Amino acid sequence: MSDHDHDDHPSHGAAYLRVFIALCVFTGISVAADLVHMESKILLGAIVLAVAVAKALCVMMFFMHLKFERAWKYLLLAPTIILALALPISLRPDIGETYYTQDVQQQRDYEEQQANKHDSGHH
Amino acid sequence: MTHAVAAPTLKMGIPIPNAKLGMWLFLGTEIMFFTAFIGTYIVMRMGSRGWPTDTHVTHINIALGGTNTFVLIVSSYFVVISHDCLLTHQYSKAWRFMLYTLVLGCVFLGIKGIEYTGKIQHDILPGHIPENNRQAMEKVVTQFGALMDRKLAAEFPKEKTREDQRAELNSSIQTLTDKTPRTPAEEKTLKDRTALSRLNTEYISLKEHVRADITLKVPHEKLDAIRKEDNAPSKYEAVTLDEVNHKVDEILSDPETKSLAYGLTPAHPILYGNLFASNYFLMTGFHAIHVIIGLFMFILILMKGSALCVDDAILVENIGLYWHFVDLVWIFLFPLLYII
């Protein structure tokens, strides 16, 4: 950048403040979602992860200026994001679902715990 | 000449400063670095039915984690303000906001430190966590044994083996009991050593009950005889974790042994506790290392003092990019580790 660019650089302070407030609100939402103790753990997980993605987008677009960058951002970020997502997605069907064979101490303990819970539920 | 105006020179490459390109390439590798951990955690979490989620069990503190999220967001905001001030030539304000960011980074580490201290106090550490009742009982016995070793070694530093120390303990108690009259100092020694001896008896009894897997309701003196019986363990009830933990509580509330047994704790099994602790410390630990590196970068900027000017805008922007990335990682770690 040449010096000329800096001389009439407008301040983005107000825009940054709005993003900051949005981030605080998002954080509040995920803490509140945890505090209300909802029945479905999956719903809770979906909410807090959605909030996390929204926060991440806010930070990347405005604080990291990606919204205002040219097309190079796709060139640079697409491969890393694809590789990053590939790891959990490729591991999930393989070991994510059958990480342990049935005959593992922790699995047996878990079965036993569940059985005990079931029994005490009947009494 | 027809070509009086030269064609504009073609600029090769991406239209951003090299330093910024370098930072973004580095952040690309960082994305993969952290998603490897996060992905591993998600996979292990999904593959392990019965993963610990109760915060009373894992000693995860959502309030502290939430505060830290807030602290990082504020610090991220301060970095962009600092960069903005540089571009609009408010240099001292830029410096000040950089300082606030540094302070907030330190606050983050301080809160992290409080969390880690809690984990260490409750022994939520990889490889330290019993995952079933049997392991929990054995942990109590091991912990008790280490405590006895420390106490006996402190009382009898000259004797090298545990057997010698115990023999010395018993003979000294005998000598002091027989001696009349006793001085107040001797009286106190006798009292202390009697308590130590009692604690030692409790330890040996507990250890042998757990090893033989026979309930604490059977008196310790009978264990030797029982061991000689055929199929001994099947004739008696097995020792239970509740009994063992109750015994520990008894020792800890008894005024005679209370102070001696300080540090002894009941044990509770946590299924997948070790895997959980490994994941927790790996992810938050690497994140904390990144925070520390960020703090050094802020110090680098702050050291420029009044020389900080618009020429440093690219440097500040790059450091800001790094710091926002650290914030981003935390944005994902907080719900994944603390809430889900």
Side-chain angles (χ1 to χ4, degrees):
Chain A
M1 278 193 217
S2 68
D3 279 341
H4 175 76
D5 288 340
H6 300 304
D7 291 334
D8 44 8
H9 185 279
S11 172
H12 297 303
Y16 288 145
L17 184 63
R18 281 199 295 277
V19 176
F20 169 66
I21 291 169
L23 287 173
C24 291
V25 171
F26 281 136
T27 308
I29 293 175
S30 49
V31 172
D34 182 63
L35 289 180
V36 293
H37 289 292
M38 49 186 83
E39 279 297 300
S40 162
K41 284 278 164 203
I42 296 170
L43 182 65
L44 174 67
I47 290 175
V48 290
L49 280 184
V51 167
V53 170
K55 276 160 78 175
L57 282 178
C58 274
V59 170
M60 289 177 81
M61 275 164 61
F62 298 102
F63 284 179
M64 296 172 97
H65 312 126
L66 277 185
K67 189 167 188 283
F68 316 104
E69 300 289 6
R70 310 257 302 269
W72 62 263
K73 62 191 170 193
Y74 301 112
L75 184 76
L76 215 141
L77 288 175
T80 55
I81 288 172
I82 290 168
L83 284 173
L85 290 178
L87 179 85
I89 290 173
S90 60
L91 284 182
R92 197 187 122 76
D94 186 13
I95 57 173
E97 281 162 14
T98 51
Y99 186 65
Y100 302 96
T101 55
Q102 210 49 39
D103 194 35
V104 163
Q105 184 67 49
Q106 280 95 338
Q107 291 281 308
R108 270 181 267 138
D109 291 340
Y110 178 70
E111 307 274 318
E112 200 181 305
Q113 265 182 22
Q114 292 305 101
N116 288 342
K117 248 186 222 166
H118 197 68
D119 287 347
S120 56
H122 277 289
H123 288 301
Chain B
M1 293 286 276
T2 45
H3 296 291
V5 181
T9 43
L10 269 176
K11 195 178 176 298
M12 301 273 281
I14 290 171
I16 48 171
N18 285 344
K20 195 170 152 184
L21 175 64
M23 180 51 86
W24 268 110
L25 281 171
F26 170 65
L27 291 185
T29 66
E30 288 278 85
I31 291 173
M32 292 187 280
F33 179 80
F34 272 103
T35 40
F37 294 145
I38 294 175
T40 313
Y41 165 69
I42 293 174
V43 165
M44 283 181 169
R45 172 74 209 274
M46 287 174 116
S48 315
R49 284 183 306 151
W51 189 270
T53 51
D54 187 348
T55 49
H56 298 294
V57 172
T58 55
H59 295 284
I60 278 278
N61 192 325
I62 293 178
L64 287 184
T67 312
N68 258 352
T69 312
F70 182 70
V71 166
L72 273 195
I73 287 175
V74 176
S75 72
S76 247
Y77 173 61
F78 284 173
V79 171
V80 286
I81 293 297
S82 177
H83 179 237
D84 197 59
C85 288
L86 268 188
L87 291 181
T88 50
H89 307 281
Q90 299 163 274
Y91 302 136
S92 63
K93 196 177 166 198
W95 192 89
R96 236 177 24 247
F97 271 91
M98 202 42 98
L99 181 67
Y100 299 157
T101 316
L102 177 74
V103 171
L104 286 175
C106 294
V107 169
F108 178 89
L109 285 181
I111 294 178
K112 196 86 252 165
I114 295 172
E115 279 184 61
Y116 275 14
T117 313
K119 292 272 184 307
I120 292 165
Q121 273 168 359
H122 290 105
D123 215 17
I124 307 280
L125 295 171
H128 285 223
I129 303 167
E131 299 208 12
N132 56 35
N133 289 354
R134 187 72 217 163
Q135 288 176 355
M137 287 187 272
E138 265 153 23
K139 182 172 176 179
V140 171
V141 170
T142 313
Q143 202 189 27
F144 206 163
L147 179 89
M148 284 318 302
D149 280 354
R150 280 202 307 278
K151 295 287 171 190
L152 284 171
E155 192 74 24
F156 304 103
K158 275 188 227 140
E159 279 71 21
K160 290 293 165 231
T161 68
R162 210 189 277 182
E163 286 69 27
D164 288 350
Q165 287 164 350
R166 281 177 189 157
E168 183 61 30
L169 176 65
N170 290 335
S171 72
S172 78
I173 289 173
Q174 198 56 50
T175 321
L176 284 168
T177 319
D178 293 345
K179 193 179 171 213
T180 42
R182 289 186 288 270
T183 64
E186 283 169 339
E187 201 69 64
K188 188 180 175 301
T189 314
L190 178 61
K191 194 166 157 271
D192 288 350
R193 294 198 170 166
T194 314
L196 188 61
S197 170
R198 233 198 82 202
L199 195 66
N200 189 47
T201 314
E202 294 281 16
Y203 163 60
I204 291 171
S205 157
L206 192 70
K207 178 177 82 174
E208 290 185 359
H209 277 97
V210 170
R211 296 274 152 86
D213 198 18
I214 290 171
T215 175
L216 293 182
K217 282 176 235 155
V218 174
H220 178 227
E221 305 81 66
K222 285 194 184 164
L223 276 184
D224 266 342
I226 288 171
R227 271 205 215 97
K228 291 180 188 119
E229 295 172 26
D230 292 334
N231 301 325
S234 60
K235 290 187 209 160
Y236 300 90
E237 278 178 56
V239 65
T240 66
L241 178 61
D242 283 344
E243 274 180 342
V244 171
N245 280 344
H246 185 72
K247 178 50 98 183
V248 170
D249 286 335
E250 245 176 52
I251 291 169
L252 287 174
S253 54
D254 187 319
E256 199 187 357
T257 49
K258 189 161 65 181
S259 61
L260 266 181
Y262 178 77
L264 191 65
T265 48
H268 300 283
I270 307 174
L271 201 60
Y272 297 115
N274 294 300
L275 206 51
F276 163 81
S278 301
N279 275 291
Y280 173 85
F281 280 107
L282 189 75
M283 288 197 278
T284 58
F286 267 115
H287 181 263
I289 290 172
H290 279 76
V291 171
I292 292 169
I293 292 169
L295 295 186
F296 280 114
M297 291 179 175
F298 296 142
I299 291 171
L300 193 79
I301 294 288
L302 288 173
M303 271 167 32
K304 286 181 182 269
S306 55
L308 193 68
C309 70
V310 74
D311 295 338
D312 299 312
I314 292 175
L315 180 61
V316 170
E317 186 182 4
N318 285 337
I319 291 175
L321 284 175
Y322 174 82
W323 192 249
H324 298 316
F325 174 78
V326 172
D327 185 19
L328 274 184
V329 171
W330 188 255
I331 283 175
F332 282 104
L333 288 189
F334 172 61
L336 283 172
L337 280 174
Y338 288 73
I339 296 184
I340 296 185

